[in-house]
Amino acid sequence: MARPWIEFLYAQQLPWTEGLYGGARDDVQSKTLSIDDSAGDSSVLIKYPAGWQRADAEALTAEEEFYILDGDLEINGQTYTRDCYGCFPAGYMRNQARSKTGCVALTFFDSEPNVSDDLSNTFEEQDLVPFINTLNMKWDASTADPSLEWMGNRRKVLKWDHEYDQKGTFLFATSPHIYPENWACPTLTHPCVEESFILAGELTGPFGKMEKGAYFWRPEEKPHGPFGTREGGFALIRFKYGKHINVWGDKDVPYSFDFPYKPELPPALSAYGDAPYEGTELF
Ligand SMILES: [Fe+2]
């Protein structure tokens, strides 16, 4: 089993549920954006209530990546606020954790997060990213694929994928007024999963206009695009489970800023695909 194709849903449409699957944090609320029911890896929003704390040392059986959307989270004396990022490998010890004002964190687990019995603080050093305040990073505007130069993409790499030797988790930004030349270009396909959460602005493609809170999980080998944006877009993206190679389609596909919302969703989520989210609250 792998995660189903979700492209795309609005996180705002999903209800908060009590606790977190796996049972490691029964005192938070969570929204599952996508999950592999058999392997246990997932992408979730976690809401920590104001005053939340974990006074005892704790390690998880899963790797936990997190990007703060709102509020504060203090772990091992380091305070993470909006736009801060960390990645703790399985086995990494949290000696203490708390949130003063509450927190919403976009969180990724590489397997079901359970409390570990092993408190020896043994973990894969190369996968540890203790703390990044992404506001302090400079955008990388170099062109990875000349065929995508028209998008003017910029990125901030947060985590390197050592298995596939490529950027694994990164922030992505595109200026306003981006569309393919002559309003058409071929689709792209990769032999890896591509996942994205829109943080601000919008990105528009054949499934509609993705605005703040829009989320997709696109499995390997799914042709996609063209994409563009009238307003400019800012997203967190991950490449997973394969090499990120651009394979271009062989014919031009027309592009429009006006593609209607027409998502690809698994049956369990189809109720969330009737209409885009039109409110203003993310949490
Ligand atoms: Fe892609």
Side-chain angles (χ1 to χ4, degrees), residues 59-75:
L60 298 184
T61 55
E63 176 185 272
E64 178 177 18
E65 270 188 279
F66 58 97
Y67 184 87
I68 306 296
L69 300 177
D70 191 43
D72 70 276
L73 189 60
E74 183 190 318
I75 303 169

Side-chain angles (χ1 to χ4, degrees), residues 190 194 218 224:
H190 320 295
E194 190 167 0
R218 183 191 305 125
H224 53 278

Side-chain angles (χ1 to χ4, degrees), residues 238-252:
R238 295 200 309 159
F239 297 142
K240 294 289 289 180
Y241 307 129
K243 190 74 183 164
H244 181 256
I245 298 167
N246 286 338
V247 181
W248 290 92
D250 54 12
K251 64 174 190 294
D252 276 351

